[in-house]
Amino acid sequence: VSTQSTGDDGVLVNKEGFPLAPEVWNKMWKRAETLHPGGKKMSQGIRGSQGIPNVPLPAPPTFKNNQSVPEKLLLIQKYISELQYDYTGLQFFEIKKGRPLCRLMDVAKSIIRESLPIKCLEAVVLAIYLTSDLPSVQGFPLAFKTTFENNTFKHIVLGVFHNGRFGALGLSRRDTLMYKALKYETLYDLLAEFTKCYQDCYHRVDRIKLGLPVSHDNQSMEAVMWKYAYIRLSKLSTKEFKQNCDSYSKQLRGKTAHQMKYAKQSVDAAKTMITDVSDNSSTGSARSKCQKLNKGGSR
């Protein structure tokens, strides 16, 4: 287990794989005891319990030929949501953004196999995997940096584009900051909706980061380009915000990720960029205890 710092919080990341090593298991419980109001009493109550029923495993979505793309995306989102957001204090799956896409897809398969709670970045990797069989859907990373009471928060979803409409897949503590139906006519409409939802949570959106469309080839050795265009909301007017969203959208509609990457390199060379805008196993009883801990942590 390693501790990675994100803001003022330390996040425990499982780097040992599965089944969970005893030291990982113990550190997870110690971390949970510091986060949960029930402390050790809560921990001992779950760990010492022999009567916790096994948690049913969510089934990955299966598609029918007569289903529309929006219906398929909704099935994907329902599956991601059934895994639940991870409140345990331990990130079960290590995500290294710089790894080739094929390696990230191996992590996605592990997420499906283990069926443990996940956080937003893990949900994005899973969404990329589950949409890889939908060639008409372009998925692109969509990340937010926000401020609440002088604390900085980061969140990411997978933006999706199909047949002239935008939407999003993902997972969050807040239901309004993850799935967005494939109904938004412009990228600006989608981002404005997310911005409004953040405002409803009393967060100020400082920056939005757009990545390149992700390949549908799960064996690709290329890394996902998580950062392509930055939008700093404090720097531009609403009109300028729309213009820059339109600039990205036009590229998205007419080009592949490779073409967009090459175009960006050409633009950078000319020094003109898109302007910134304002116990020992994860199965059986072990999984059940993790899930019970997770439900307790969500309160």
Side-chain angles (χ1 to χ4, degrees), residues 34-50:
T34 65
L35 296 174
H36 196 281
K40 282 189 176 182
K41 184 177 180 181
M42 173 278 305
S43 173
Q44 293 170 352
I46 297 177
R47 300 184 75 176
S49 176
Q50 301 298 323

Side-chain angles (χ1 to χ4, degrees), residues 26-214:
N26 290 329
K27 286 189 177 183
M28 181 192 77
W29 286 106
K30 287 181 181 179
R31 174 68 172 165
E33 288 169 5
T34 65
L35 296 174
H36 196 281
K40 282 189 176 182
K41 184 177 180 181
M42 173 278 305
S43 173
Q44 293 170 352
I46 297 177
R47 300 184 75 176
S49 176
Q50 301 298 323
I52 299 177
N54 287 336
V55 178
L57 301 183
T62 55
F63 304 135
K64 299 178 181 178
N65 292 332
N66 61 350
Q67 287 178 316
S68 66
V69 169
E71 290 173 330
K72 292 176 180 179
L73 292 178
L74 181 57
L75 288 177
I76 290 173
Q77 181 59 50
K78 286 183 177 180
Y79 172 69
I80 294 174
S81 297
E82 286 176 353
L83 291 176
Q84 302 178 17
Y85 190 86
D86 184 0
Y87 295 97
T88 66
L90 171 69
Q91 182 177 318
F92 292 102
F93 306 93
E94 182 184 17
I95 306 293
K96 293 183 178 179
K97 287 185 174 181
R99 301 181 74 184
L101 179 61
C102 60
R103 297 292 176 256
L104 293 180
M105 296 301 92
D106 288 341
V107 176
K109 294 173 186 177
S110 179
I111 292 173
I112 294 173
R113 182 172 59 251
E114 303 299 334
S115 293
L116 289 166
I118 56 177
K119 292 182 181 291
C120 61
L121 182 55
E122 297 156 288
V124 168
V125 170
L126 180 57
I128 291 172
Y129 177 76
L130 294 174
T131 56
S132 62
D133 288 334
L134 304 178
S136 64
V137 175
Q138 288 182 286
F140 56 96
L142 180 55
F144 302 87
K145 182 179 179 181
T146 66
T147 300
F148 173 71
E149 294 184 346
N150 296 321
N151 293 313
T152 298
F153 297 85
K154 293 182 180 180
H155 179 51
I156 188 169
V157 297
L158 183 70
V160 289
F161 175 75
H162 166 76
N163 197 26
R165 293 290 185 271
F166 290 88
L169 300 169
L171 200 58
S172 170
R173 294 179 178 89
R174 300 279 187 172
D175 291 342
T176 57
L177 299 177
M178 38 190 257
Y179 173 70
K180 299 296 178 184
L182 194 69
K183 65 178 184 180
Y184 299 90
E185 295 185 359
T186 68
L187 178 61
Y188 170 78
D189 292 338
L190 175 63
L191 298 188
E193 171 65 15
F194 269 109
T195 301
K196 178 184 179 299
C197 292
Y198 266 113
Q199 291 172 347
D200 291 342
C201 298
Y202 306 101
H203 278 238
R204 182 186 72 241
V205 179
D206 300 317
R207 186 187 69 195
I208 301 173
K209 190 165 55 180
L210 301 161
L212 286 181
V214 183

Side-chain angles (χ1 to χ4, degrees), residues 280-295:
N280 295 329
S281 172
S282 62
T283 60
S285 63
R287 178 186 290 112
S288 301
K289 291 178 181 180
C290 286
Q291 291 284 9
K292 186 165 184 179
L293 169 63
N294 194 54
K295 289 181 179 180

Side-chain angles (χ1 to χ4, degrees), residues 218-287:
N218 289 341
Q219 302 303 316
S220 173
M221 290 299 296
E222 285 206 1
V224 175
M225 181 172 278
W226 303 91
K227 308 172 185 178
Y228 177 71
Y230 289 87
I231 298 175
R232 289 187 170 86
L233 296 179
S234 62
K235 297 283 183 81
L236 293 183
S237 65
T238 299
K239 181 180 179 180
E240 292 168 320
F241 183 11
K242 289 181 179 180
Q243 289 173 343
N244 284 273
C245 286
D246 289 344
S247 177
Y248 178 90
S249 298
K250 287 177 181 178
Q251 297 178 68
L252 187 68
R253 292 170 189 268
K255 300 179 181 179
T256 64
H258 287 289
Q259 291 171 324
M260 291 179 72
K261 185 176 182 180
Y262 177 78
K264 187 180 192 312
Q265 290 172 343
S266 300
V267 170
D268 288 345
K271 295 184 178 181
T272 57
M273 299 176 63
I274 292 180
T275 308
D276 282 343
V277 196
S278 94
D279 288 329
N280 295 329
S281 172
S282 62
T283 60
S285 63
R287 178 186 290 112

